[in-house]
Coordinates of all heavy atoms in Angstrom, one line a residue:
M1 N 37.2 -17.2 37.0 CA 36.1 -16.4 36.4 C 36.7 -15.2 35.7 O 37.5 -14.5 36.3 CB 35.1 -16.0 37.5 CG 33.9 -15.2 37.0 SD 32.8 -14.8 38.3 CE 32.1 -16.3 38.7
R2 N 36.2 -15.0 34.5 CA 36.7 -13.8 33.8 C 36.2 -12.5 34.5 O 35.1 -12.5 35.1 CB 36.2 -13.8 32.4 CG 36.8 -15.0 31.6 CD 36.2 -15.0 30.1 NE 34.8 -14.6 30.1 CZ 34.3 -14.0 29.0 NH1 35.0 -13.7 28.0 NH2 33.0 -13.6 29.0
E3 N 37.0 -11.5 34.3 CA 36.6 -10.2 35.0 C 35.3 -9.7 34.5 O 34.5 -9.2 35.3 CB 37.7 -9.2 34.6 CG 37.8 -8.0 35.6 CD 39.0 -7.2 35.4 OE1 40.1 -7.8 35.4 OE2 38.9 -6.0 35.1
I4 N 35.0 -9.8 33.2 CA 33.7 -9.3 32.7 C 32.5 -10.1 33.3 O 31.5 -9.5 33.7 CB 33.6 -9.4 31.2 CG1 32.4 -8.7 30.6 CG2 33.7 -10.8 30.7 CD1 32.4 -7.2 30.7
D5 N 32.7 -11.4 33.6 CA 31.6 -12.2 34.3 C 31.4 -11.8 35.7 O 30.3 -11.7 36.2 CB 32.0 -13.7 34.2 CG 31.9 -14.2 32.8 OD1 31.1 -13.7 32.0 OD2 32.6 -15.2 32.5
Q6 N 32.5 -11.4 36.4 CA 32.4 -10.9 37.8 C 31.6 -9.6 37.8 O 30.8 -9.4 38.6 CB 33.8 -10.7 38.4 CG 34.5 -12.0 38.7 CD 35.8 -11.7 39.4 OE1 36.6 -10.9 38.9 NE2 36.2 -12.5 40.4
A7 N 31.9 -8.8 36.8 CA 31.2 -7.5 36.8 C 29.8 -7.7 36.5 O 28.9 -7.0 37.1 CB 31.9 -6.6 35.7
R8 N 29.4 -8.6 35.6 CA 28.0 -8.9 35.4 C 27.3 -9.4 36.6 O 26.2 -9.0 36.9 CB 27.8 -9.9 34.2 CG 28.1 -9.3 32.9 CD 27.5 -10.2 31.8 NE 27.9 -9.7 30.5 CZ 28.8 -10.3 29.8 NH1 29.4 -11.4 30.1 NH2 29.1 -9.7 28.6
R9 N 27.9 -10.3 37.4 CA 27.3 -10.8 38.6 C 27.1 -9.7 39.6 O 26.1 -9.7 40.3 CB 28.2 -11.9 39.2 CG 28.1 -13.2 38.5 CD 28.8 -14.3 39.2 NE 28.4 -14.3 40.6 CZ 29.1 -14.9 41.5 NH1 30.2 -15.5 41.3 NH2 28.7 -14.9 42.8
A10 N 28.1 -8.8 39.7 CA 28.0 -7.7 40.7 C 26.8 -6.8 40.4 O 26.2 -6.2 41.2 CB 29.3 -7.0 40.8
A11 N 26.5 -6.7 39.1 CA 25.5 -5.7 38.7 C 24.1 -6.3 38.7 O 23.1 -5.6 38.5 CB 25.8 -5.2 37.3
H12 N 23.9 -7.6 38.9 CA 22.6 -8.2 38.9 C 22.4 -9.1 40.1 O 22.7 -10.3 40.1 CB 22.5 -9.1 37.6 CG 22.6 -8.2 36.4 ND1 21.6 -7.4 36.0 CD2 23.6 -8.1 35.5 CE1 22.0 -6.7 34.9 NE2 23.3 -7.1 34.6
H13 N 21.9 -8.5 41.2 CA 21.6 -9.3 42.4 C 20.2 -9.8 42.4 O 19.7 -10.2 43.4 CB 21.9 -8.5 43.7 CG 23.3 -8.3 43.9 ND1 24.1 -9.3 44.3 CD2 24.1 -7.2 43.9 CE1 25.4 -8.9 44.5 NE2 25.4 -7.6 44.3
G14 N 19.4 -9.5 41.3 CA 18.0 -9.9 41.3 C 17.2 -8.7 41.3 O 17.7 -7.5 41.2
P15 N 15.8 -8.9 41.3 CA 14.9 -7.7 41.2 C 15.1 -6.8 42.3 O 15.4 -7.2 43.5 CB 13.5 -8.3 41.2 CG 13.7 -9.8 41.5 CD 15.2 -10.1 41.5
M16 N 15.0 -5.5 42.1 CA 15.2 -4.5 43.1 C 13.9 -3.8 43.4 O 13.0 -3.6 42.5 CB 16.1 -3.4 42.6 CG 17.6 -3.8 42.4 SD 18.4 -4.1 43.9 CE 18.4 -2.5 44.6
P17 N 13.6 -3.5 44.7 CA 12.4 -2.8 45.0 C 12.5 -1.3 44.5 O 13.6 -0.9 44.1 CB 12.3 -2.8 46.5 CG 13.8 -3.0 46.9 CD 14.4 -3.8 45.8
D18 N 11.4 -0.6 44.5 CA 11.5 0.8 44.1 C 12.5 1.5 45.1 O 12.5 1.3 46.3 CB 10.1 1.5 44.2 CG 9.2 1.0 43.1 OD1 9.7 0.5 42.1 OD2 8.0 1.1 43.4
L19 N 13.3 2.4 44.5 CA 14.3 3.1 45.3 C 13.8 4.4 45.8 O 13.0 5.1 45.1 CB 15.6 3.3 44.5 CG 16.3 2.0 44.0 CD1 17.4 2.4 43.0 CD2 16.9 1.4 45.2
P20 N 14.2 4.8 47.0 CA 13.7 6.1 47.5 C 14.5 7.2 46.8 O 15.5 6.9 46.1 CB 14.2 6.1 49.0 CG 15.3 5.1 49.0 CD 15.0 4.1 48.0
P21 N 14.0 8.5 46.9 CA 14.8 9.5 46.2 C 16.2 9.5 46.7 O 16.5 9.3 47.8 CB 14.1 10.8 46.6 CG 12.8 10.3 47.2 CD 12.9 8.9 47.6
D22 N 17.2 9.8 45.8 CA 18.6 9.7 46.1 C 19.1 11.1 45.9 O 19.1 11.7 44.8 CB 19.3 8.8 45.2 CG 20.8 8.7 45.4 OD1 21.2 9.2 46.5 OD2 21.5 8.1 44.6
P23 N 19.7 11.8 46.9 CA 20.3 13.1 46.7 C 21.5 13.0 45.9 O 22.0 14.1 45.4 CB 20.5 13.6 48.2 CG 20.6 12.3 49.0 CD 19.7 11.3 48.3
Y24 N 22.1 11.9 45.8 CA 23.3 11.7 45.1 C 23.0 10.9 43.8 O 22.0 10.2 43.8 CB 24.4 10.9 45.9 CG 24.5 11.4 47.3 CD1 23.9 10.8 48.3 CD2 25.2 12.6 47.5 CE1 24.0 11.3 49.6 CE2 25.3 13.2 48.8 CZ 24.7 12.5 49.8 OH 24.7 13.0 51.1
L25 N 23.8 10.9 42.8 CA 23.4 10.2 41.6 C 23.9 8.8 41.7 O 25.1 8.5 42.0 CB 24.1 10.9 40.4 CG 23.5 12.2 40.0 CD1 24.3 12.8 38.8 CD2 22.1 12.1 39.6
L26 N 23.0 7.8 41.5 CA 23.4 6.4 41.5 C 24.1 6.2 40.1 O 23.8 6.8 39.1 CB 22.2 5.5 41.6 CG 21.6 5.4 43.0 CD1 20.3 4.7 42.9 CD2 22.5 4.8 44.0
P27 N 25.0 5.2 40.0 CA 25.5 4.8 38.7 C 24.4 4.3 37.8 O 23.4 3.8 38.3 CB 26.5 3.7 39.1 CG 26.6 3.6 40.5 CD 25.5 4.3 41.1
P28 N 24.6 4.4 36.5 CA 23.6 3.9 35.6 C 23.3 2.5 35.8 O 24.3 1.7 36.1 CB 24.2 4.2 34.2 CG 25.3 5.2 34.4 CD 25.7 5.0 35.9
P29 N 22.0 2.0 35.7 CA 21.7 0.6 35.9 C 22.6 -0.2 34.9 O 22.8 0.1 33.8 CB 20.3 0.5 35.5 CG 19.7 1.8 35.7 CD 20.8 2.8 35.4
G30 N 23.2 -1.4 35.4 CA 24.0 -2.2 34.6 C 25.5 -1.9 34.8 O 26.3 -2.8 34.5
D31 N 25.8 -0.7 35.4 CA 27.2 -0.5 35.7 C 27.7 -1.5 36.7 O 26.9 -2.0 37.5 CB 27.5 0.9 36.2 CG 27.8 1.9 35.1 OD1 27.5 1.5 33.9 OD2 28.2 3.0 35.4
W32 N 29.0 -1.8 36.8 CA 29.4 -2.9 37.7 C 29.1 -2.6 39.2 O 28.9 -3.5 39.9 CB 30.9 -3.1 37.5 CG 31.8 -2.0 38.1 CD1 32.2 -0.8 37.5 CD2 32.3 -2.0 39.4 NE1 32.9 -0.1 38.4 CE2 33.0 -0.8 39.6 CE3 32.3 -2.9 40.5 CZ2 33.7 -0.5 40.8 CZ3 33.0 -2.6 41.7 CH2 33.7 -1.4 41.8
F33 N 29.0 -1.4 39.6 CA 28.7 -1.1 41.0 C 27.3 -0.6 41.3 O 26.9 -0.3 42.4 CB 29.7 0.0 41.4 CG 29.8 0.2 42.9 CD1 30.4 -0.8 43.7 CD2 29.4 1.3 43.6 CE1 30.5 -0.7 45.1 CE2 29.5 1.4 44.9 CZ 30.0 0.4 45.7
A34 N 26.4 -0.6 40.2 CA 25.1 -0.1 40.3 C 24.3 -0.8 41.4 O 23.6 -0.2 42.2 CB 24.4 -0.1 39.0
S35 N 24.3 -2.1 41.4 CA 23.5 -2.9 42.3 C 23.9 -2.6 43.8 O 23.1 -2.5 44.7 CB 23.6 -4.4 42.0 OG 22.8 -5.1 42.9
D36 N 25.2 -2.6 44.0 CA 25.7 -2.4 45.4 C 25.4 -1.0 45.8 O 25.0 -0.8 47.0 CB 27.3 -2.5 45.4 CG 27.7 -4.0 45.3 OD1 27.0 -4.9 45.8 OD2 28.7 -4.2 44.6
A37 N 25.4 0.0 45.0 CA 25.1 1.4 45.3 C 23.6 1.5 45.7 O 23.2 2.2 46.6 CB 25.5 2.3 44.2
A38 N 22.8 0.8 44.9 CA 21.3 0.8 45.1 C 21.0 0.1 46.5 O 20.2 0.6 47.3 CB 20.6 0.2 44.0
H39 N 21.6 -1.0 46.8 CA 21.4 -1.7 48.1 C 21.9 -0.8 49.2 O 21.3 -0.8 50.3 CB 22.1 -3.1 48.1 CG 21.3 -4.1 47.4 ND1 21.5 -4.4 46.1 CD2 20.3 -4.9 47.8 CE1 20.7 -5.4 45.7 NE2 19.9 -5.6 46.7
H40 N 23.0 -0.1 49.0 CA 23.5 0.8 50.1 C 22.4 1.9 50.4 O 22.1 2.1 51.5 CB 24.8 1.4 49.6 CG 25.3 2.4 50.6 ND1 26.0 2.1 51.8 CD2 25.2 3.8 50.7 CE1 26.3 3.1 52.5 NE2 25.8 4.2 51.9
L41 N 21.9 2.5 49.3 CA 20.8 3.5 49.5 C 19.6 2.9 50.3 O 19.1 3.6 51.1 CB 20.4 4.0 48.1 CG 19.3 5.1 48.1 CD1 19.8 6.3 48.9 CD2 18.9 5.4 46.7
L42 N 19.2 1.7 50.0 CA 18.1 1.1 50.6 C 18.4 0.7 52.1 O 17.5 0.9 52.9 CB 17.6 -0.2 49.9 CG 16.9 0.1 48.6 CD1 16.8 -1.3 47.8 CD2 15.6 0.7 48.8
D43 N 19.5 0.2 52.3 CA 19.8 -0.5 53.6 C 20.6 0.4 54.6 O 20.7 0.0 55.8 CB 20.6 -1.8 53.4 CG 19.8 -2.7 52.5 OD1 18.5 -2.6 52.5 OD2 20.4 -3.6 51.9
K44 N 21.2 1.5 54.2 CA 22.0 2.2 55.2 C 21.1 2.8 56.3 O 19.9 3.0 56.2 CB 22.7 3.4 54.4 CG 21.8 4.5 54.0 CD 22.5 5.6 53.3 CE 21.6 6.7 52.9 NZ 22.3 7.8 52.2
P45 N 21.7 2.9 57.5 CA 21.0 3.5 58.6 C 20.4 4.8 58.3 O 21.1 5.7 57.7 CB 22.0 3.6 59.8 CG 23.1 2.7 59.3 CD 23.1 2.6 57.9
K46 N 19.2 5.1 58.7 CA 18.5 6.3 58.4 C 18.5 7.3 59.6 O 18.4 8.5 59.4 CB 17.1 6.1 58.0 CG 16.9 5.1 56.9 CD 17.5 5.5 55.6 CE 17.1 4.5 54.4 NZ 17.8 3.2 54.4
F47 N 18.7 6.7 60.8 CA 18.6 7.5 62.0 C 19.8 7.1 62.9 O 20.2 5.9 62.9 CB 17.3 7.3 62.7 CG 16.1 7.7 61.9 CD1 15.4 6.7 61.2 CD2 15.7 9.0 61.8 CE1 14.3 7.1 60.4 CE2 14.6 9.4 61.0 CZ 13.9 8.4 60.3
C48 N 20.2 8.0 63.7 CA 21.3 7.8 64.7 C 20.9 6.8 65.7 O 19.9 7.0 66.4 CB 21.7 9.1 65.3 SG 23.0 9.0 66.6
P49 N 21.8 5.8 66.0 CA 21.5 4.8 67.0 C 21.6 5.4 68.4 O 21.0 4.9 69.4 CB 22.5 3.7 66.9 CG 23.1 3.9 65.5 CD 22.9 5.4 65.2
S50 N 22.2 6.6 68.6 CA 22.4 7.2 69.9 C 21.3 8.2 70.2 O 20.8 8.2 71.3 CB 23.8 7.8 69.9 OG 24.0 8.4 71.2
C51 N 21.0 9.1 69.3 CA 20.1 10.2 69.6 C 18.8 10.2 68.7 O 17.9 11.0 68.9 CB 20.8 11.6 69.4 SG 21.1 12.1 67.7
A52 N 18.7 9.3 67.7 CA 17.6 9.1 66.8 C 17.4 10.3 65.8 O 16.4 10.3 65.1 CB 16.3 8.9 67.6
S53 N 18.4 11.2 65.7 CA 18.3 12.2 64.7 C 18.5 11.6 63.3 O 19.1 10.5 63.2 CB 19.4 13.3 64.9 OG 19.2 14.0 66.1
S54 N 17.9 12.2 62.3 CA 18.1 11.8 60.9 C 19.6 11.8 60.6 O 20.3 12.8 61.0 CB 17.4 12.7 60.0 OG 17.8 12.4 58.6
L55 N 20.1 10.9 59.8 CA 21.5 10.9 59.4 C 21.7 11.5 58.0 O 22.7 11.4 57.4 CB 22.0 9.4 59.4 CG 22.2 8.8 60.7 CD1 22.5 7.3 60.6 CD2 23.2 9.5 61.6
D56 N 20.7 12.3 57.6 CA 20.8 12.9 56.3 C 22.0 13.9 56.2 O 22.6 14.0 55.2 CB 19.5 13.8 56.0 CG 18.4 12.9 55.6 OD1 18.6 11.7 55.3 OD2 17.2 13.4 55.6
R57 N 22.4 14.5 57.3 CA 23.5 15.4 57.3 C 24.8 14.7 57.9 O 25.8 15.3 58.0 CB 23.2 16.6 58.2 CG 22.2 17.5 57.5 CD 22.0 18.9 58.3 NE 22.0 18.7 59.7 CZ 23.0 19.2 60.5 NH1 24.0 19.8 60.0 NH2 22.9 19.0 61.8
G58 N 24.6 13.4 58.2 CA 25.8 12.6 58.8 C 26.6 12.0 57.7 O 26.5 12.4 56.5
L59 N 27.3 10.9 58.0 CA 28.1 10.2 57.1 C 27.9 8.7 57.3 O 27.9 8.3 58.4 CB 29.6 10.6 57.3 CG 30.6 9.8 56.6 CD1 30.6 10.1 55.1 CD2 32.0 10.0 57.1
T60 N 27.7 8.0 56.2 CA 27.6 6.5 56.3 C 28.4 6.0 55.2 O 28.1 6.3 54.0 CB 26.1 6.1 56.2 OG1 25.4 6.7 57.3 CG2 26.0 4.6 56.4
T61 N 29.4 5.2 55.5 CA 30.1 4.5 54.5 C 30.1 3.0 54.8 O 29.9 2.6 55.9 CB 31.6 5.0 54.4 OG1 32.2 4.4 53.3 CG2 32.3 4.6 55.6
E62 N 30.1 2.2 53.8 CA 29.9 0.7 53.9 C 31.0 -0.1 53.4 O 31.7 0.2 52.5 CB 28.6 0.3 53.1 CG 28.3 -1.1 53.1 CD 27.1 -1.5 52.3 OE1 26.4 -0.6 51.8 OE2 26.8 -2.7 52.1
W63 N 31.3 -1.2 54.2 CA 32.2 -2.2 53.7 C 31.7 -3.6 54.1 O 30.7 -3.6 54.9 CB 33.7 -1.9 54.1 CG 34.0 -2.2 55.6 CD1 34.4 -3.4 56.1 CD2 33.9 -1.3 56.7 NE1 34.6 -3.3 57.4 CE2 34.3 -2.0 57.8 CE3 33.5 0.0 56.8 CZ2 34.3 -1.4 59.1 CZ3 33.5 0.6 58.0 CH2 33.9 -0.1 59.2
W64 N 32.4 -4.6 53.7 CA 31.9 -5.9 53.9 C 33.0 -6.7 54.6 O 34.2 -6.6 54.4 CB 31.6 -6.7 52.6 CG 30.6 -5.9 51.8 CD1 29.2 -6.0 51.9 CD2 30.9 -5.0 50.8 NE1 28.7 -5.2 51.0 CE2 29.6 -4.5 50.3 CE3 32.0 -4.5 50.2 CZ2 29.5 -3.6 49.3 CZ3 31.9 -3.5 49.2 CH2 30.6 -3.1 48.7
S65 N 32.6 -7.6 55.6 CA 33.5 -8.5 56.2 C 32.8 -9.9 56.2 O 31.8 -10.1 56.9 CB 33.8 -8.1 57.7 OG 34.6 -9.1 58.3
G66 N 33.2 -10.8 55.3 CA 32.5 -12.0 55.1 C 31.1 -11.7 54.6 O 31.0 -11.0 53.6
H67 N 30.1 -12.2 55.2 CA 28.7 -12.0 54.8 C 28.1 -10.7 55.5 O 27.0 -10.4 55.2 CB 27.8 -13.2 55.1 CG 28.2 -14.4 54.2 ND1 27.9 -14.4 52.9 CD2 28.8 -15.5 54.5 CE1 28.3 -15.5 52.4 NE2 28.9 -16.2 53.3
E68 N 28.8 -10.1 56.4 CA 28.3 -9.0 57.1 C 28.5 -7.7 56.3 O 29.5 -7.5 55.7 CB 29.0 -8.8 58.5 CG 28.7 -9.9 59.5 CD 29.4 -9.7 60.8 OE1 30.4 -8.9 60.9 OE2 29.0 -10.3 61.8
R69 N 27.5 -6.8 56.4 CA 27.6 -5.5 55.8 C 27.8 -4.5 57.0 O 26.9 -4.5 57.8 CB 26.4 -5.2 55.0 CG 26.2 -6.2 53.8 CD 24.9 -5.9 53.1 NE 24.9 -4.6 52.5 CZ 23.7 -4.0 52.2 NH1 22.6 -4.6 52.4 NH2 23.7 -2.8 51.7
I70 N 28.8 -3.7 56.9 CA 29.2 -2.9 58.1 C 29.1 -1.4 57.6 O 29.7 -1.0 56.6 CB 30.6 -3.2 58.6 CG1 30.7 -4.6 59.0 CG2 31.0 -2.2 59.7 CD1 32.1 -5.1 59.2
F71 N 28.3 -0.6 58.3 CA 28.1 0.8 58.0 C 28.7 1.6 59.0 O 28.3 1.7 60.2 CB 26.6 1.1 57.9 CG 25.8 0.4 56.9 CD1 25.3 -0.8 57.1 CD2 25.7 0.9 55.6 CE1 24.6 -1.5 56.1 CE2 25.0 0.3 54.6 CZ 24.4 -1.0 54.9
M72 N 29.9 2.2 58.7 CA 30.5 3.2 59.6 C 29.7 4.5 59.5 O 29.5 5.0 58.5 CB 32.0 3.4 59.2 CG 32.8 4.1 60.3 SD 32.5 5.9 60.6 CE 33.0 6.6 59.0
T73 N 29.2 4.9 60.7 CA 28.2 5.9 60.8 C 28.7 7.1 61.7 O 29.2 6.8 62.7 CB 26.9 5.4 61.3 OG1 26.5 4.3 60.4 CG2 25.8 6.4 61.3
W74 N 28.5 8.3 61.2 CA 28.7 9.5 62.0 C 27.5 10.4 62.0 O 26.9 10.6 61.0 CB 29.9 10.3 61.4 CG 30.2 11.6 62.1 CD1 30.7 11.8 63.4 CD2 29.8 12.9 61.6 NE1 30.7 13.1 63.7 CE2 30.2 13.8 62.6 CE3 29.3 13.3 60.4 CZ2 30.0 15.2 62.4 CZ3 29.1 14.7 60.3 CH2 29.5 15.6 61.3
C75 N 27.1 10.8 63.2 CA 25.9 11.6 63.4 C 26.3 13.1 63.6 O 27.1 13.4 64.5 CB 25.1 11.2 64.6 SG 23.7 12.2 65.0
A76 N 25.8 14.0 62.7 CA 26.1 15.4 62.8 C 25.5 16.1 64.0 O 25.9 17.1 64.4 CB 25.7 16.1 61.5
A77 N 24.4 15.5 64.5 CA 23.7 16.1 65.6 C 24.4 15.9 66.9 O 24.5 16.8 67.7 CB 22.2 15.6 65.7
C78 N 24.8 14.7 67.2 CA 25.4 14.4 68.5 C 26.8 13.9 68.4 O 27.5 13.7 69.5 CB 24.5 13.3 69.3 SG 24.8 11.6 68.6
R79 N 27.4 13.8 67.2 CA 28.8 13.5 67.0 C 29.1 12.0 67.3 O 30.2 11.6 67.4 CB 29.7 14.3 67.8 CG 29.5 15.8 67.6 CD 30.0 16.3 66.3 NE 29.9 17.8 66.2 CZ 29.8 18.4 65.1 NH1 29.8 17.8 63.9 NH2 29.6 19.7 65.1
W80 N 28.0 11.2 67.5 CA 28.2 9.7 67.7 C 28.9 9.1 66.5 O 28.5 9.5 65.3 CB 26.9 9.0 68.0 CG 27.1 7.6 68.3 CD1 27.4 7.0 69.4 CD2 26.9 6.5 67.3 NE1 27.4 5.6 69.3 CE2 27.1 5.3 68.0 CE3 26.6 6.4 65.9 CZ2 27.1 4.0 67.4 CZ3 26.6 5.2 65.3 CH2 26.8 4.0 66.0
T81 N 29.8 8.2 66.7 CA 30.5 7.5 65.6 C 30.5 6.0 66.0 O 30.8 5.7 67.1 CB 31.9 8.0 65.4 OG1 31.9 9.4 65.1 CG2 32.6 7.2 64.2
G82 N 30.1 5.2 65.1 CA 30.2 3.8 65.4 C 29.8 3.0 64.1 O 29.4 3.5 63.1
N83 N 29.8 1.6 64.3 CA 29.4 0.7 63.2 C 28.0 0.2 63.4 O 27.7 -0.2 64.6 CB 30.4 -0.4 63.1 CG 31.8 0.0 62.7 OD1 31.9 1.0 62.0 ND2 32.8 -0.7 63.0
V84 N 27.3 0.1 62.4 CA 26.0 -0.6 62.4 C 26.2 -1.8 61.4 O 26.7 -1.6 60.3 CB 24.9 0.4 61.8 CG1 23.6 -0.4 61.7 CG2 24.7 1.6 62.7
V85 N 25.9 -3.0 61.9 CA 26.2 -4.2 61.2 C 24.9 -4.9 60.8 O 24.1 -5.1 61.6 CB 27.1 -5.1 62.0 CG1 27.4 -6.4 61.2 CG2 28.4 -4.4 62.5
L86 N 24.8 -5.2 59.5 CA 23.7 -6.0 59.0 C 24.2 -7.5 58.9 O 25.3 -7.7 58.4 CB 23.2 -5.5 57.7 CG 22.6 -4.1 57.6 CD1 22.1 -3.9 56.2 CD2 21.5 -4.0 58.6
F87 N 23.4 -8.4 59.3 CA 23.8 -9.8 59.1 C 22.5 -10.6 58.9 O 21.4 -10.1 59.2 CB 24.6 -10.4 60.3 CG 24.0 -10.0 61.6 CD1 22.9 -10.7 62.2 CD2 24.4 -8.9 62.3 CE1 22.4 -10.4 63.4 CE2 23.9 -8.5 63.6 CZ 22.9 -9.3 64.1
D88 N 22.6 -11.8 58.3 CA 21.5 -12.7 58.0 C 21.0 -13.4 59.3 O 19.8 -13.6 59.5 CB 21.8 -13.7 56.9 CG 22.0 -13.0 55.6 OD1 21.5 -11.9 55.4 OD2 22.8 -13.5 54.8
K89 N 21.9 -13.9 60.1 CA 21.6 -14.7 61.3 C 22.4 -14.2 62.5 O 23.5 -13.7 62.3 CB 22.0 -16.2 61.1 CG 21.2 -16.9 60.1 CD 21.6 -18.4 60.1 CE 21.5 -19.0 58.7 NZ 22.1 -20.3 58.7
A90 N 21.8 -14.3 63.6 CA 22.5 -14.0 64.9 C 22.4 -15.2 65.8 O 21.4 -15.9 65.9 CB 21.8 -12.8 65.6
I91 N 23.6 -15.5 66.4 CA 23.6 -16.6 67.4 C 23.8 -15.9 68.7 O 24.9 -15.3 68.9 CB 24.7 -17.6 67.1 CG1 24.4 -18.3 65.7 CG2 24.8 -18.7 68.2 CD1 25.6 -19.1 65.2
I92 N 22.9 -16.0 69.6 CA 22.9 -15.3 70.9 C 22.9 -16.4 72.0 O 22.1 -17.3 72.0 CB 21.7 -14.4 71.0 CG1 21.7 -13.4 69.9 CG2 21.7 -13.7 72.4 CD1 20.4 -12.5 69.8
E93 N 23.9 -16.2 72.9 CA 23.9 -17.1 74.0 C 23.3 -16.4 75.2 O 23.5 -15.3 75.5 CB 25.4 -17.5 74.4 CG 26.0 -18.3 73.3 CD 27.4 -18.7 73.6 OE1 27.7 -18.8 74.8 OE2 28.2 -19.0 72.7
E94 N 22.4 -17.2 75.9 CA 21.7 -16.6 77.0 C 22.1 -17.4 78.3 O 22.0 -18.6 78.3 CB 20.2 -16.7 76.8 CG 19.4 -16.1 77.9 CD 17.9 -16.1 77.6 OE1 17.5 -16.1 76.5 OE2 17.2 -16.0 78.6
P95 N 22.6 -16.7 79.3 CA 23.1 -17.5 80.5 C 21.9 -18.1 81.2 O 20.8 -17.7 81.0 CB 23.7 -16.4 81.4 CG 23.3 -15.1 80.8 CD 22.8 -15.3 79.4
E96 N 22.2 -19.2 81.9 CA 21.2 -19.9 82.6 C 20.6 -19.0 83.7 O 21.2 -18.2 84.3 CB 21.8 -21.2 83.3 CG 22.3 -22.2 82.4 CD 21.1 -22.9 81.7 OE1 20.0 -23.1 82.2 OE2 21.3 -23.3 80.5
H97 N 19.3 -19.2 83.9 CA 18.6 -18.3 84.9 C 18.6 -19.0 86.3 O 18.5 -20.2 86.4 CB 17.1 -18.1 84.5 CG 17.0 -17.3 83.3 ND1 17.4 -15.9 83.2 CD2 16.7 -17.6 82.0 CE1 17.2 -15.5 82.0 NE2 16.8 -16.5 81.2
Ligands
ZN1 ZN1 23.1 11.3 67.1

C-alpha cells in the first residue's frame, strides 16, 4: 500500500460524533493523525479509576497493542498511575460454583 493511501485511511475512520471542547488544538481535519487525535479526545478516561477525581490536570497518553487501545493514566489528585484498556470483546472465565 502506498504511503499516501495509508495516510488517507488513517484520516477517515467514518463519521465522527460532535467533539467535546478541546483545551488543546486538534490537527486540522484530513491531516493524517486527525482522526486518531479526535478518537483519543472522545475515548480517553475522564476520571481517575482510583479516586474518581477529574483527570483534567492529570496525564493520559495512548498506544495500541493489536486491537486494544491502552491509555497510560496519571492522576494529579492521588498520584495513581496505571493503564486503562479499551477493547471490543472480553472473554471472562468464571470458576465453577
Ligand atoms: Zn486519583
Side-chain angles (χ1 to χ4, degrees):
M1 179 179 293
R2 293 181 324 153
E3 201 170 305
I4 188 75
D5 292 331
Q6 286 181 317
R8 282 197 186 108
R9 284 188 50 199
H12 299 287
H13 287 295
M16 294 289 297
D18 290 336
L19 295 172
D22 180 15
Y24 314 102
L25 290 178
L26 288 172
D31 270 15
W32 75 273
F33 196 67
S35 179
D36 290 321
H39 279 95
H40 177 83
L41 178 64
L42 287 170
D43 299 336
K44 69 181 182 178
K46 309 295 187 284
F47 301 97
C48 173
S50 180
C51 74
S53 294
S54 170
L55 290 172
D56 286 346
R57 293 186 317 113
L59 171 70
T60 303
T61 188
E62 176 181 354
W63 74 90
W64 303 275
S65 177
H67 292 288
E68 292 181 342
R69 297 174 64 201
I70 302 165
F71 297 88
M72 194 288 292
T73 304
W74 173 75
C75 175
C78 75
R79 310 282 185 205
W80 181 85
T81 302
N83 291 334
V84 175
V85 181
L86 296 183
F87 46 83
D88 293 331
K89 292 185 212 173
I91 299 172
I92 300 171
E93 294 184 25
E94 185 173 337
E96 294 291 328
H97 297 288

